[in-house]
């Protein structure tokens, strides 16, 4: 399949400014799709944006992907990650690639097409709250987002016998309980369960 020929056959496709063997097109006013061939020409990198198209950022991501030769081996893992990415005005430090058409749950959580989003750090958590009756299902920690963690920590204060347990990308686990004061991994802590504390604990 000739990817370049296929893309240029799309009605409103045009060459991506300042980037060879790359194109962009928009299926509707909210979405912009951008695609660049690899240096070898044997694969393509596509970045989609929703309500947040920044041409310089997209160009930087496609150039980085091409330079790092990002490749996904479906037999080994469903996606590939390259660290060391930087771009002025954004906090992203990595670029990930997955196979076209994949439906990974983590994609729905990260919202990769929304480049104006807040940081989405790796987070697994489980919890049980005897006061609200809420809780996670099963003994394993599931993928979650910081807003869920913050919500459950807010409900935890005053809920004796309850807990929130979470794990960051380093594999560090914190079990939070309330016993008149905050207990972290069984030790009393004089802290405030703020957004800053949560994001710092997640490595942001």
């Amino acid at each position: 399949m000739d990817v370049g020929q296929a893309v240029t056959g799309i009605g409103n496709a045009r060459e991506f400014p300042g980037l060879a063997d790359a194109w962009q097109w928009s299926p509707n006013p909210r979405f912009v799709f951008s695609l660049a061939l690899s240096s070898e020409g044997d694969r393509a990198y596509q970045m989609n944006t929703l309500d947040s198209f920044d041409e310089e950022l997209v160009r930087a991501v496609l150039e980085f992907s091409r330079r790092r030769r990002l490749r996904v081996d479906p037999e080994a893992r469903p996606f590939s990650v390259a660290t060391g990415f930087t771009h002025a005005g954004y906090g992203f430090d990595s670029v990930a690639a997955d196979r076209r058409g994949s439906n990974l749950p983590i994609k729905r959580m990260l919202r990769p097409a929304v480049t104006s989003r807040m940081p989405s750090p790796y987070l697994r958590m489980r919890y049980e709250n005897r006061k609200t009756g809420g809780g996670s299902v099963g003994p394993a920690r599931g993928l979650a987002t910081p807003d869920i963690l913050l919500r459950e920590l807010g409900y935890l204060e005053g809920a004796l016998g309850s807990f929130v347990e979470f794990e960051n990308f380093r594999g560090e686990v914190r079990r939070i309980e309330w016993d008149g004061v905050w207990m972290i991994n069984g030790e009393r802590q004089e802290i405030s369960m703020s957004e800053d504390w949560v994001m710092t604990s997640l490595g942001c």
Side-chain angles (χ1 to χ4, degrees), residues 120-137:
S120 301
Y122 177 90
L123 165 63
R124 287 185 179 272
M125 66 175 284
R126 68 187 186 101
Y127 66 97
E128 179 182 354
N129 193 304
R130 296 184 179 180
K131 186 176 180 180
T132 66
S136 50
V137 178

Side-chain angles (χ1 to χ4, degrees), residues 39-145:
S39 300
E40 299 82 3
D42 61 347
R43 59 194 179 281
Y45 303 114
Q46 182 172 331
M47 180 173 176
N48 303 335
T49 57
L50 172 64
D51 297 331
S52 55
F53 179 69
D54 181 331
E55 186 175 286
E56 291 187 1
L57 172 66
V58 173
R59 183 186 299 109
V61 169
L62 294 176
E63 288 177 333
F64 180 85
S65 302
R66 178 184 283 173
R67 185 170 63 252
R68 295 292 296 271
R69 293 184 169 87
L70 273 176
R71 182 188 295 271
V72 178
D73 180 359
E75 299 299 323
R77 60 179 61 186
F79 59 91
S80 178
V81 178
T83 59
F85 176 80
T86 59
H87 189 73
Y90 294 88
F92 305 124
D93 60 6
S94 305
V95 172
D98 69 329
R99 289 181 294 114
R100 181 176 176 83
S102 67
N103 189 31
L104 299 173
I106 196 170
K107 287 174 64 178
R108 295 192 294 273
M109 295 174 58
L110 292 178
R111 298 179 300 146
V114 182
T115 57
S116 59
R117 68 185 184 277
M118 295 297 290
S120 301
Y122 177 90
L123 165 63
R124 287 185 179 272
M125 66 175 284
R126 68 187 186 101
Y127 66 97
E128 179 182 354
N129 193 304
R130 296 184 179 180
K131 186 176 180 180
T132 66
S136 50
V137 178
R141 291 183 288 271
L143 288 169
T145 53

Side-chain angles (χ1 to χ4, degrees), residues 1 10 16 42 59 113 184 191:
M1 176 183 179
I10 299 173
F16 197 103
D42 61 347
R59 183 186 299 109
I184 302 179
I191 60 172

Side-chain angles (χ1 to χ4, degrees), residues 88-202:
Y90 294 88
F92 305 124
D93 60 6
S94 305
V95 172
D98 69 329
R99 289 181 294 114
R100 181 176 176 83
S102 67
N103 189 31
L104 299 173
I106 196 170
K107 287 174 64 178
R108 295 192 294 273
M109 295 174 58
L110 292 178
R111 298 179 300 146
V114 182
T115 57
S116 59
R117 68 185 184 277
M118 295 297 290
S120 301
Y122 177 90
L123 165 63
R124 287 185 179 272
M125 66 175 284
R126 68 187 186 101
Y127 66 97
E128 179 182 354
N129 193 304
R130 296 184 179 180
K131 186 176 180 180
T132 66
S136 50
V137 178
R141 291 183 288 271
L143 288 169
T145 53
D147 60 313
I148 295 176
L149 176 57
L150 280 164
R151 181 194 70 197
E152 293 306 320
L153 287 174
Y155 292 157
L156 191 59
E157 187 170 356
L160 296 176
S162 307
F163 73 90
V164 172
E165 183 181 276
F166 68 93
E167 176 186 354
N168 64 19
F169 73 99
R170 299 187 185 96
E172 298 168 342
V173 177
R174 291 175 173 84
R175 182 184 175 94
I176 316 298
E177 298 169 279
W178 175 260
D179 186 23
V181 296
W182 292 112
M183 305 285 291
I184 302 179
N185 295 341
E187 298 184 0
R188 291 172 175 254
Q189 301 284 340
E190 296 292 337
I191 60 172
S192 172
M193 288 295 165
S194 64
E195 182 177 355
D196 286 345
W197 182 87
V198 166
M199 299 306 283
T200 298
S201 298
L202 293 175

